[in-house]
Amino acid sequence: MIPHIKALEQRFSVLIQPVENPNWNEGNGSSALTVAPYIDGPFFLLMCDHLFDPAILQHLLEVKGDTTDCLLGVDCRTNGIFDVDDATKVKLDGDVITAIGKGITSFDAIDTGLFLCQPSLFDGLREARREGYGSLSAGIMRLIRNREFRAVVIGDRFWLDVDTPESLAYAKRALLKSESKPGDDGFISSRLNRPISRKISGLLARTSVPPNGITLLSFMVCIIGAFMFSLGGYVWTVVAGLVIQLASIVDGCDGEIARLKFQSSRFGAWFDTVLDRYADTAIAVGVSYGYWMTHPHPAVWFGAILALTGFVLASYTKKEFEIRYETKPSGDVFSRLIKRDVRIFTIMLGALVNRPFEVLMLVGFLSHVGIALMFLNGYRQKYHRQHLAE
């Protein structure tokens, strides 16, 4: 176990001090007591077989304030708990925990196994140990008797106790399902791409493929599709359309795997955005070149440039809007129609009827219309703020 911990230490660039418990057979409370000499202030106590949103820990810190009580994250969504019979229940008096245990019949919340503790926990554990009880629960009961144990509701944040093959399978399904983003996904992503990408991600989750590797794979598939467009001919055009649609589906897997394995990073999000723009450029150039071979006129490249600038600026303008106005552009139907997933799917449909260039021009035009609408939205935001200031 210690070599594995050291590997984690190097992988995540954190300092980990393993502490062995020679009396582990006395109960998990004795394991907690072994770290007492190393701690002189508030500390997190976490169950190693629980999956959870790290935001829960931040929430516990925010709630803590100046209190000297121990805190426990609790879930009030008692009807939605996986295997509630095996869950540890919590009885509350306001936010004070009055009872905790798996056998409680009347309860208000479920124990998430995420604690923000004080050194007073060790006093409770020592008292319980003197009485012949070595479990963590026995020490916690001493705090409950002194009303020094409070609950913090975690809201709708994700957590799950994973201690059976069934709960592991449920955890994967729940995490992948949570990757659906109705407010951010376009029509095609939410109805077609996301259901397929979740199944692919479920398979990829069993491998060691990193999220950025999936980003690069999606990009390369898209480049292959763009090259096929440049070859011209109906067969190559159809195959190219199907290939870029496949790339669009796979493009959703990197974010899903990153969040499923808690490997999200700013670099990964930025890397994905940059490669998407290069892929968009390749598609526009490939489609335009394939059309230019049979229609050798300068207007072809002029149209290609207009379409490409629409694709790039639609994404850029949206991000700039969010930065300047600290909100997303209005989520109307049109704003979702100019998203990348809809754009690529539409070009794929154009490829199936051997009209990819004409469709490229159409989606390029719609992108510029979307940019104009975002400018109008920004102007309204400016007018509204000026009106409020007056």
Side-chain angles (χ1 to χ4, degrees):
M1 178 60 73
I2 290 181
H4 178 68
I5 292 174
K6 289 298 182 182
L8 291 176
E9 187 177 30
Q10 294 180 353
R11 177 180 175 184
F12 295 103
S13 300
V14 295
L15 180 62
I16 304 175
Q17 176 61 58
V19 180
E20 294 189 69
N21 176 23
N23 303 311
W24 58 269
N25 57 330
E26 294 183 8
N28 56 1
S30 67
S31 295
L33 270 176
T34 60
V35 303
Y38 301 88
I39 295 175
D40 58 6
F43 61 96
F44 285 115
L45 176 63
L46 312 175
M47 302 298 105
C48 64
D49 59 350
H50 285 205
L51 282 176
F52 60 90
D53 183 344
I56 297 176
L57 302 185
Q58 182 62 41
H59 183 52
L60 288 172
L61 286 174
E62 292 170 353
V63 172
K64 174 186 171 295
D66 298 327
T67 183
T68 57
D69 294 336
C70 292
L71 305 180
L72 168 65
V74 301
D75 192 345
C76 293
R77 300 167 293 180
T78 56
N79 292 330
I81 300 298
F82 180 80
D83 195 6
V84 69
D85 293 335
D86 186 57
T88 301
K89 289 83 172 177
V90 178
K91 184 69 176 175
L92 301 174
D93 179 11
D95 67 345
V96 177
I97 298 175
T98 58
I100 187 169
K102 293 188 176 183
I104 297 176
T105 56
S106 175
F107 56 93
D108 304 295
I110 301 297
D111 170 9
T112 67
L114 308 176
F115 301 80
L116 178 55
C117 296
Q118 303 285 347
S120 58
L121 173 65
F122 300 130
D123 297 331
L125 291 172
R126 293 188 187 99
E127 181 182 345
R129 193 176 188 183
R130 285 193 297 268
E131 296 174 3
Y133 301 101
S135 69
L136 178 64
S137 298
I140 288 174
M141 289 304 299
R142 272 65 183 172
L143 297 177
I144 291 176
R145 285 205 299 260
N146 297 329
R147 297 181 71 85
E148 297 176 343
F149 197 30
R150 293 197 296 117
V152 176
V153 178
I154 67 168
D156 60 357
R157 298 177 178 89
F158 176 84
W159 77 279
L160 187 67
D161 178 8
V162 182
D163 52 12
T164 65
E166 292 76 18
S167 60
L168 177 59
Y170 176 83
K172 289 181 178 179
R173 292 195 302 270
L175 282 172
L176 287 171
K177 186 177 181 180
S178 71
E179 299 312 313
S180 297
K181 300 173 288 185
D184 294 333
D185 284 345
F187 292 114
I188 301 303
S189 183
S190 60
R191 291 166 173 77
L192 174 64
N193 293 4
R194 191 69 69 183
I196 299 175
S197 68
R198 284 203 298 263
K199 294 183 182 298
I200 297 174
S201 294
L203 298 175
L204 291 175
R206 304 174 185 176
T207 71
S208 58
V209 177
N212 291 340
I214 299 173
T215 300
L216 188 59
L217 173 63
S218 171
F219 171 72
M220 295 305 299
V221 171
C222 202
I223 293 299
I224 292 172
F227 174 74
M228 290 178 175
F229 272 124
S230 71
L231 298 177
Y234 179 65
V235 174
W236 283 117
T237 298
V238 169
V239 175
L242 296 175
V243 167
I244 65 169
Q245 177 57 29
L246 173 62
S248 180
I249 293 172
V250 175
D251 188 45
C253 294
D254 53 3
E256 291 170 352
I257 290 295
R259 288 181 285 272
L260 183 63
K261 294 187 174 183
F262 299 99
Q263 294 178 349
S264 298
S265 68
R266 293 184 179 181
F267 174 81
W270 175 71
F271 186 57
D272 180 58
T273 299
V274 171
L275 290 192
D276 280 350
R277 302 293 79 77
Y278 275 114
D280 289 344
T281 301
I283 291 173
V285 171
V287 170
S288 300
Y289 183 80
Y291 186 78
W292 179 78
M293 286 196 301
T294 55
H295 301 78
H297 193 279
V300 172
W301 294 109
F302 178 75
I305 292 172
L306 285 179
L308 180 57
T309 54
F311 301 161
V312 174
L313 287 175
S315 175
Y316 177 80
T317 305
K318 177 178 178 292
K319 292 185 182 299
E320 280 294 305
F321 185 98
E322 293 174 359
I323 293 172
R324 306 306 175 188
Y325 294 99
E326 299 179 347
T327 185
K328 295 179 182 287
S330 60
D332 55 18
V333 172
F334 192 87
S335 66
R336 298 182 69 183
L337 284 175
I338 64 172
K339 288 180 176 289
R340 187 171 188 264
D341 60 320
V342 178
R343 180 165 67 240
I344 290 181
F345 182 77
T346 306
I347 293 174
M348 185 269 291
L349 292 180
L352 295 181
V353 296
N354 205 23
R355 290 290 184 271
F357 182 77
E358 290 84 345
V359 172
L360 181 76
M361 295 299 99
L362 173 62
V363 294
F365 171 75
L366 292 177
S367 295
H368 284 289
V369 173
I371 293 169
L373 291 176
M374 275 189 274
F375 271 111
L376 179 60
N377 194 354
Y379 179 79
R380 289 173 176 171
Q381 291 273 358
K382 174 184 175 183
Y383 177 80
H384 179 65
R385 293 187 178 187
Q386 288 178 341
H387 182 71
L388 291 178
E390 295 173 356

PDB file of all heavy atoms in Angstrom, residues 224-226 228-229 234-248 283 287 344-352 356:
ATOM      1  N   ILE A 224      -8.468  13.798 -40.752  1.00  0.00           N
ATOM      2  CA  ILE A 224      -8.636  12.767 -41.794  1.00  0.00           C
ATOM      3  C   ILE A 224      -9.901  13.042 -42.600  1.00  0.00           C
ATOM      4  O   ILE A 224      -9.903  12.951 -43.839  1.00  0.00           O
ATOM      5  CB  ILE A 224      -8.699  11.370 -41.146  1.00  0.00           C
ATOM      6  CG1 ILE A 224      -7.342  11.005 -40.556  1.00  0.00           C
ATOM      7  CG2 ILE A 224      -9.141  10.318 -42.165  1.00  0.00           C
ATOM      8  CD1 ILE A 224      -7.349   9.728 -39.738  1.00  0.00           C
ATOM      9  N   GLY A 225     -10.987  13.392 -41.909  1.00  0.00           N
ATOM     10  CA  GLY A 225     -12.220  13.717 -42.616  1.00  0.00           C
ATOM     11  C   GLY A 225     -12.058  14.927 -43.514  1.00  0.00           C
ATOM     12  O   GLY A 225     -12.558  14.941 -44.657  1.00  0.00           O
ATOM     13  N   ALA A 226     -11.357  15.952 -43.030  1.00  0.00           N
ATOM     14  CA  ALA A 226     -11.125  17.149 -43.839  1.00  0.00           C
ATOM     15  C   ALA A 226     -10.327  16.811 -45.094  1.00  0.00           C
ATOM     16  O   ALA A 226     -10.615  17.324 -46.190  1.00  0.00           O
ATOM     17  CB  ALA A 226     -10.396  18.192 -43.000  1.00  0.00           C
ATOM     18  N   MET A 228     -10.300  13.942 -46.646  1.00  0.00           N
ATOM     19  CA  MET A 228     -11.186  13.214 -47.560  1.00  0.00           C
ATOM     20  C   MET A 228     -12.078  14.165 -48.339  1.00  0.00           C
ATOM     21  O   MET A 228     -12.359  13.943 -49.529  1.00  0.00           O
ATOM     22  CB  MET A 228     -12.043  12.220 -46.770  1.00  0.00           C
ATOM     23  CG  MET A 228     -11.269  11.053 -46.199  1.00  0.00           C
ATOM     24  SD  MET A 228     -12.339   9.957 -45.227  1.00  0.00           S
ATOM     25  CE  MET A 228     -11.197   8.624 -44.836  1.00  0.00           C
ATOM     26  N   PHE A 229     -12.534  15.246 -47.691  1.00  0.00           N
ATOM     27  CA  PHE A 229     -13.335  16.246 -48.409  1.00  0.00           C
ATOM     28  C   PHE A 229     -12.545  16.821 -49.580  1.00  0.00           C
ATOM     29  O   PHE A 229     -13.092  17.094 -50.661  1.00  0.00           O
ATOM     30  CB  PHE A 229     -13.730  17.382 -47.472  1.00  0.00           C
ATOM     31  CG  PHE A 229     -15.014  17.147 -46.724  1.00  0.00           C
ATOM     32  CD1 PHE A 229     -15.038  17.200 -45.331  1.00  0.00           C
ATOM     33  CD2 PHE A 229     -16.192  16.893 -47.398  1.00  0.00           C
ATOM     34  CE1 PHE A 229     -16.223  17.000 -44.640  1.00  0.00           C
ATOM     35  CE2 PHE A 229     -17.382  16.690 -46.708  1.00  0.00           C
ATOM     36  CZ  PHE A 229     -17.402  16.733 -45.322  1.00  0.00           C
ATOM     37  N   TYR A 234     -18.226  11.865 -54.884  1.00  0.00           N
ATOM     38  CA  TYR A 234     -19.335  11.638 -53.959  1.00  0.00           C
ATOM     39  C   TYR A 234     -18.972  10.661 -52.838  1.00  0.00           C
ATOM     40  O   TYR A 234     -19.282  10.886 -51.668  1.00  0.00           O
ATOM     41  CB  TYR A 234     -20.556  11.128 -54.716  1.00  0.00           C
ATOM     42  CG  TYR A 234     -21.737  10.847 -53.824  1.00  0.00           C
ATOM     43  CD1 TYR A 234     -22.367  11.881 -53.121  1.00  0.00           C
ATOM     44  CD2 TYR A 234     -22.200   9.545 -53.644  1.00  0.00           C
ATOM     45  CE1 TYR A 234     -23.443  11.621 -52.291  1.00  0.00           C
ATOM     46  CE2 TYR A 234     -23.281   9.276 -52.804  1.00  0.00           C
ATOM     47  CZ  TYR A 234     -23.889  10.331 -52.130  1.00  0.00           C
ATOM     48  OH  TYR A 234     -24.947  10.075 -51.295  1.00  0.00           O
ATOM     49  N   VAL A 235     -18.288   9.571 -53.183  1.00  0.00           N
ATOM     50  CA  VAL A 235     -17.974   8.557 -52.171  1.00  0.00           C
ATOM     51  C   VAL A 235     -17.084   9.140 -51.089  1.00  0.00           C
ATOM     52  O   VAL A 235     -17.356   8.985 -49.882  1.00  0.00           O
ATOM     53  CB  VAL A 235     -17.300   7.333 -52.819  1.00  0.00           C
ATOM     54  CG1 VAL A 235     -16.845   6.349 -51.745  1.00  0.00           C
ATOM     55  CG2 VAL A 235     -18.266   6.643 -53.784  1.00  0.00           C
ATOM     56  N   TRP A 236     -16.006   9.818 -51.503  1.00  0.00           N
ATOM     57  CA  TRP A 236     -15.109  10.433 -50.513  1.00  0.00           C
ATOM     58  C   TRP A 236     -15.844  11.481 -49.690  1.00  0.00           C
ATOM     59  O   TRP A 236     -15.595  11.618 -48.479  1.00  0.00           O
ATOM     60  CB  TRP A 236     -13.902  11.070 -51.207  1.00  0.00           C
ATOM     61  CG  TRP A 236     -12.859  10.100 -51.660  1.00  0.00           C
ATOM     62  CD1 TRP A 236     -12.473   9.856 -52.939  1.00  0.00           C
ATOM     63  CD2 TRP A 236     -12.080   9.233 -50.831  1.00  0.00           C
ATOM     64  NE1 TRP A 236     -11.493   8.898 -52.985  1.00  0.00           N
ATOM     65  CE2 TRP A 236     -11.229   8.498 -51.692  1.00  0.00           C
ATOM     66  CE3 TRP A 236     -12.009   9.006 -49.466  1.00  0.00           C
ATOM     67  CZ2 TRP A 236     -10.321   7.553 -51.215  1.00  0.00           C
ATOM     68  CZ3 TRP A 236     -11.099   8.064 -48.979  1.00  0.00           C
ATOM     69  CH2 TRP A 236     -10.277   7.351 -49.844  1.00  0.00           C
ATOM     70  N   THR A 237     -16.728  12.206 -50.313  1.00  0.00           N
ATOM     71  CA  THR A 237     -17.475  13.249 -49.611  1.00  0.00           C
ATOM     72  C   THR A 237     -18.379  12.660 -48.534  1.00  0.00           C
ATOM     73  O   THR A 237     -18.441  13.170 -47.398  1.00  0.00           O
ATOM     74  CB  THR A 237     -18.313  14.069 -50.606  1.00  0.00           C
ATOM     75  OG1 THR A 237     -17.437  14.723 -51.532  1.00  0.00           O
ATOM     76  CG2 THR A 237     -19.138  15.129 -49.887  1.00  0.00           C
ATOM     77  N   VAL A 238     -19.082  11.580 -48.861  1.00  0.00           N
ATOM     78  CA  VAL A 238     -19.961  10.934 -47.880  1.00  0.00           C
ATOM     79  C   VAL A 238     -19.153  10.393 -46.709  1.00  0.00           C
ATOM     80  O   VAL A 238     -19.501  10.587 -45.527  1.00  0.00           O
ATOM     81  CB  VAL A 238     -20.772   9.806 -48.542  1.00  0.00           C
ATOM     82  CG1 VAL A 238     -21.486   8.969 -47.489  1.00  0.00           C
ATOM     83  CG2 VAL A 238     -21.780  10.384 -49.524  1.00  0.00           C
ATOM     84  N   VAL A 239     -18.056   9.687 -47.038  1.00  0.00           N
ATOM     85  CA  VAL A 239     -17.217   9.125 -45.971  1.00  0.00           C
ATOM     86  C   VAL A 239     -16.654  10.244 -45.100  1.00  0.00           C
ATOM     87  O   VAL A 239     -16.613  10.131 -43.863  1.00  0.00           O
ATOM     88  CB  VAL A 239     -16.078   8.275 -46.568  1.00  0.00           C
ATOM     89  CG1 VAL A 239     -15.130   7.803 -45.469  1.00  0.00           C
ATOM     90  CG2 VAL A 239     -16.647   7.080 -47.313  1.00  0.00           C
ATOM     91  N   ALA A 240     -16.240  11.335 -45.737  1.00  0.00           N
ATOM     92  CA  ALA A 240     -15.689  12.467 -44.985  1.00  0.00           C
ATOM     93  C   ALA A 240     -16.723  13.038 -44.016  1.00  0.00           C
ATOM     94  O   ALA A 240     -16.409  13.361 -42.862  1.00  0.00           O
ATOM     95  CB  ALA A 240     -15.223  13.551 -45.946  1.00  0.00           C
ATOM     96  N   GLY A 241     -17.978  13.152 -44.483  1.00  0.00           N
ATOM     97  CA  GLY A 241     -19.026  13.675 -43.611  1.00  0.00           C
ATOM     98  C   GLY A 241     -19.251  12.784 -42.398  1.00  0.00           C
ATOM     99  O   GLY A 241     -19.408  13.264 -41.268  1.00  0.00           O
ATOM    100  N   LEU A 242     -19.247  11.472 -42.623  1.00  0.00           N
ATOM    101  CA  LEU A 242     -19.444  10.545 -41.513  1.00  0.00           C
ATOM    102  C   LEU A 242     -18.258  10.573 -40.552  1.00  0.00           C
ATOM    103  O   LEU A 242     -18.424  10.462 -39.328  1.00  0.00           O
ATOM    104  CB  LEU A 242     -19.637   9.122 -42.052  1.00  0.00           C
ATOM    105  CG  LEU A 242     -20.892   8.904 -42.903  1.00  0.00           C
ATOM    106  CD1 LEU A 242     -20.901   7.493 -43.489  1.00  0.00           C
ATOM    107  CD2 LEU A 242     -22.162   9.147 -42.075  1.00  0.00           C
ATOM    108  N   VAL A 243     -17.053  10.757 -41.096  1.00  0.00           N
ATOM    109  CA  VAL A 243     -15.845  10.783 -40.258  1.00  0.00           C
ATOM    110  C   VAL A 243     -15.836  12.016 -39.353  1.00  0.00           C
ATOM    111  O   VAL A 243     -15.512  11.921 -38.162  1.00  0.00           O
ATOM    112  CB  VAL A 243     -14.574  10.730 -41.130  1.00  0.00           C
ATOM    113  CG1 VAL A 243     -13.332  11.072 -40.306  1.00  0.00           C
ATOM    114  CG2 VAL A 243     -14.417   9.355 -41.757  1.00  0.00           C
ATOM    115  N   ILE A 244     -16.184  13.193 -39.878  1.00  0.00           N
ATOM    116  CA  ILE A 244     -16.165  14.380 -39.023  1.00  0.00           C
ATOM    117  C   ILE A 244     -17.277  14.325 -37.971  1.00  0.00           C
ATOM    118  O   ILE A 244     -17.127  14.863 -36.874  1.00  0.00           O
ATOM    119  CB  ILE A 244     -16.258  15.684 -39.842  1.00  0.00           C
ATOM    120  CG1 ILE A 244     -17.591  15.804 -40.573  1.00  0.00           C
ATOM    121  CG2 ILE A 244     -15.087  15.814 -40.801  1.00  0.00           C
ATOM    122  CD1 ILE A 244     -17.829  17.191 -41.184  1.00  0.00           C
ATOM    123  N   GLN A 245     -18.384  13.645 -38.303  1.00  0.00           N
ATOM    124  CA  GLN A 245     -19.433  13.471 -37.294  1.00  0.00           C
ATOM    125  C   GLN A 245     -18.957  12.539 -36.191  1.00  0.00           C
ATOM    126  O   GLN A 245     -19.233  12.766 -34.998  1.00  0.00           O
ATOM    127  CB  GLN A 245     -20.700  12.927 -37.945  1.00  0.00           C
ATOM    128  CG  GLN A 245     -21.836  12.637 -36.970  1.00  0.00           C
ATOM    129  CD  GLN A 245     -22.248  13.845 -36.147  1.00  0.00           C
ATOM    130  OE1 GLN A 245     -22.115  14.984 -36.588  1.00  0.00           O
ATOM    131  NE2 GLN A 245     -22.728  13.593 -34.938  1.00  0.00           N
ATOM    132  N   LEU A 246     -18.203  11.501 -36.562  1.00  0.00           N
ATOM    133  CA  LEU A 246     -17.607  10.621 -35.552  1.00  0.00           C
ATOM    134  C   LEU A 246     -16.647  11.411 -34.669  1.00  0.00           C
ATOM    135  O   LEU A 246     -16.644  11.241 -33.435  1.00  0.00           O
ATOM    136  CB  LEU A 246     -16.860   9.476 -36.246  1.00  0.00           C
ATOM    137  CG  LEU A 246     -16.035   8.558 -35.320  1.00  0.00           C
ATOM    138  CD1 LEU A 246     -16.942   7.851 -34.322  1.00  0.00           C
ATOM    139  CD2 LEU A 246     -15.229   7.555 -36.147  1.00  0.00           C
ATOM    140  N   ALA A 247     -15.853  12.273 -35.284  1.00  0.00           N
ATOM    141  CA  ALA A 247     -14.919  13.095 -34.508  1.00  0.00           C
ATOM    142  C   ALA A 247     -15.669  13.998 -33.535  1.00  0.00           C
ATOM    143  O   ALA A 247     -15.227  14.217 -32.402  1.00  0.00           O
ATOM    144  CB  ALA A 247     -14.055  13.935 -35.451  1.00  0.00           C
ATOM    145  N   SER A 248     -16.818  14.520 -33.968  1.00  0.00           N
ATOM    146  CA  SER A 248     -17.627  15.378 -33.108  1.00  0.00           C
ATOM    147  C   SER A 248     -18.145  14.616 -31.893  1.00  0.00           C
ATOM    148  O   SER A 248     -18.199  15.152 -30.777  1.00  0.00           O
ATOM    149  CB  SER A 248     -18.794  15.956 -33.912  1.00  0.00           C
ATOM    150  OG  SER A 248     -19.600  16.796 -33.114  1.00  0.00           O
ATOM    151  N   ILE A 283     -11.642  21.559 -41.816  1.00  0.00           N
ATOM    152  CA  ILE A 283     -12.893  21.180 -42.488  1.00  0.00           C
ATOM    153  C   ILE A 283     -13.263  22.200 -43.550  1.00  0.00           C
ATOM    154  O   ILE A 283     -13.613  21.846 -44.689  1.00  0.00           O
ATOM    155  CB  ILE A 283     -14.030  21.030 -41.467  1.00  0.00           C
ATOM    156  CG1 ILE A 283     -13.790  19.815 -40.575  1.00  0.00           C
ATOM    157  CG2 ILE A 283     -15.383  20.895 -42.170  1.00  0.00           C
ATOM    158  CD1 ILE A 283     -14.767  19.697 -39.428  1.00  0.00           C
ATOM    159  N   VAL A 287     -13.373  21.121 -47.477  1.00  0.00           N
ATOM    160  CA  VAL A 287     -14.623  21.205 -48.241  1.00  0.00           C
ATOM    161  C   VAL A 287     -14.470  22.177 -49.412  1.00  0.00           C
ATOM    162  O   VAL A 287     -14.884  21.890 -50.550  1.00  0.00           O
ATOM    163  CB  VAL A 287     -15.781  21.644 -47.320  1.00  0.00           C
ATOM    164  CG1 VAL A 287     -17.024  21.981 -48.156  1.00  0.00           C
ATOM    165  CG2 VAL A 287     -16.105  20.549 -46.309  1.00  0.00           C
ATOM    166  N   ILE A 344     -21.219  20.851 -37.447  1.00  0.00           N
ATOM    167  CA  ILE A 344     -20.595  19.681 -38.057  1.00  0.00           C
ATOM    168  C   ILE A 344     -21.655  18.695 -38.541  1.00  0.00           C
ATOM    169  O   ILE A 344     -21.530  18.099 -39.625  1.00  0.00           O
ATOM    170  CB  ILE A 344     -19.635  19.013 -37.053  1.00  0.00           C
ATOM    171  CG1 ILE A 344     -18.421  19.918 -36.845  1.00  0.00           C
ATOM    172  CG2 ILE A 344     -19.208  17.632 -37.542  1.00  0.00           C
ATOM    173  CD1 ILE A 344     -17.388  19.360 -35.900  1.00  0.00           C
ATOM    174  N   PHE A 345     -22.713  18.520 -37.767  1.00  0.00           N
ATOM    175  CA  PHE A 345     -23.778  17.601 -38.179  1.00  0.00           C
ATOM    176  C   PHE A 345     -24.429  18.101 -39.470  1.00  0.00           C
ATOM    177  O   PHE A 345     -24.740  17.303 -40.371  1.00  0.00           O
ATOM    178  CB  PHE A 345     -24.822  17.497 -37.073  1.00  0.00           C
ATOM    179  CG  PHE A 345     -25.940  16.539 -37.383  1.00  0.00           C
ATOM    180  CD1 PHE A 345     -25.750  15.165 -37.276  1.00  0.00           C
ATOM    181  CD2 PHE A 345     -27.187  17.009 -37.784  1.00  0.00           C
ATOM    182  CE1 PHE A 345     -26.787  14.278 -37.565  1.00  0.00           C
ATOM    183  CE2 PHE A 345     -28.219  16.128 -38.074  1.00  0.00           C
ATOM    184  CZ  PHE A 345     -28.019  14.759 -37.963  1.00  0.00           C
ATOM    185  N   THR A 346     -24.620  19.406 -39.585  1.00  0.00           N
ATOM    186  CA  THR A 346     -25.236  19.968 -40.786  1.00  0.00           C
ATOM    187  C   THR A 346     -24.342  19.771 -42.004  1.00  0.00           C
ATOM    188  O   THR A 346     -24.819  19.445 -43.103  1.00  0.00           O
ATOM    189  CB  THR A 346     -25.536  21.457 -40.582  1.00  0.00           C
ATOM    190  OG1 THR A 346     -26.318  21.639 -39.403  1.00  0.00           O
ATOM    191  CG2 THR A 346     -26.290  22.034 -41.766  1.00  0.00           C
ATOM    192  N   ILE A 347     -23.030  19.960 -41.821  1.00  0.00           N
ATOM    193  CA  ILE A 347     -22.096  19.722 -42.927  1.00  0.00           C
ATOM    194  C   ILE A 347     -22.115  18.247 -43.317  1.00  0.00           C
ATOM    195  O   ILE A 347     -22.032  17.899 -44.502  1.00  0.00           O
ATOM    196  CB  ILE A 347     -20.674  20.171 -42.529  1.00  0.00           C
ATOM    197  CG1 ILE A 347     -20.639  21.698 -42.358  1.00  0.00           C
ATOM    198  CG2 ILE A 347     -19.653  19.743 -43.585  1.00  0.00           C
ATOM    199  CD1 ILE A 347     -19.318  22.235 -41.838  1.00  0.00           C
ATOM    200  N   MET A 348     -22.240  17.366 -42.340  1.00  0.00           N
ATOM    201  CA  MET A 348     -22.340  15.930 -42.630  1.00  0.00           C
ATOM    202  C   MET A 348     -23.581  15.642 -43.478  1.00  0.00           C
ATOM    203  O   MET A 348     -23.511  14.876 -44.455  1.00  0.00           O
ATOM    204  CB  MET A 348     -22.384  15.139 -41.329  1.00  0.00           C
ATOM    205  CG  MET A 348     -22.365  13.622 -41.500  1.00  0.00           C
ATOM    206  SD  MET A 348     -24.026  12.887 -41.613  1.00  0.00           S
ATOM    207  CE  MET A 348     -24.613  13.124 -39.951  1.00  0.00           C
ATOM    208  N   LEU A 349     -24.717  16.277 -43.130  1.00  0.00           N
ATOM    209  CA  LEU A 349     -25.922  16.087 -43.932  1.00  0.00           C
ATOM    210  C   LEU A 349     -25.711  16.616 -45.350  1.00  0.00           C
ATOM    211  O   LEU A 349     -26.171  16.001 -46.331  1.00  0.00           O
ATOM    212  CB  LEU A 349     -27.108  16.807 -43.274  1.00  0.00           C
ATOM    213  CG  LEU A 349     -27.598  16.242 -41.941  1.00  0.00           C
ATOM    214  CD1 LEU A 349     -28.775  17.071 -41.425  1.00  0.00           C
ATOM    215  CD2 LEU A 349     -28.013  14.774 -42.082  1.00  0.00           C
ATOM    216  N   GLY A 350     -25.022  17.741 -45.455  1.00  0.00           N
ATOM    217  CA  GLY A 350     -24.715  18.274 -46.776  1.00  0.00           C
ATOM    218  C   GLY A 350     -23.848  17.321 -47.588  1.00  0.00           C
ATOM    219  O   GLY A 350     -24.013  17.190 -48.808  1.00  0.00           O
ATOM    220  N   ALA A 351     -22.927  16.626 -46.899  1.00  0.00           N
ATOM    221  CA  ALA A 351     -22.076  15.654 -47.587  1.00  0.00           C
ATOM    222  C   ALA A 351     -22.898  14.485 -48.121  1.00  0.00           C
ATOM    223  O   ALA A 351     -22.622  13.963 -49.209  1.00  0.00           O
ATOM    224  CB  ALA A 351     -20.990  15.156 -46.641  1.00  0.00           C
ATOM    225  N   LEU A 352     -23.909  14.077 -47.372  1.00  0.00           N
ATOM    226  CA  LEU A 352     -24.727  12.935 -47.796  1.00  0.00           C
ATOM    227  C   LEU A 352     -25.488  13.236 -49.084  1.00  0.00           C
ATOM    228  O   LEU A 352     -25.783  12.312 -49.868  1.00  0.00           O
ATOM    229  CB  LEU A 352     -25.707  12.547 -46.692  1.00  0.00           C
ATOM    230  CG  LEU A 352     -25.091  12.021 -45.387  1.00  0.00           C
ATOM    231  CD1 LEU A 352     -26.183  11.661 -44.394  1.00  0.00           C
ATOM    232  CD2 LEU A 352     -24.199  10.818 -45.659  1.00  0.00           C
ATOM    233  N   PRO A 356     -21.725  19.644 -49.729  1.00  0.00           N
ATOM    234  CA  PRO A 356     -21.058  20.126 -48.506  1.00  0.00           C
ATOM    235  C   PRO A 356     -20.665  21.594 -48.576  1.00  0.00           C
ATOM    236  O   PRO A 356     -20.726  22.300 -47.572  1.00  0.00           O
ATOM    237  CB  PRO A 356     -19.830  19.218 -48.400  1.00  0.00           C
ATOM    238  CG  PRO A 356     -19.557  18.789 -49.809  1.00  0.00           C
ATOM    239  CD  PRO A 356     -20.900  18.646 -50.446  1.00  0.00           C
TER     240      PRO A 356
END
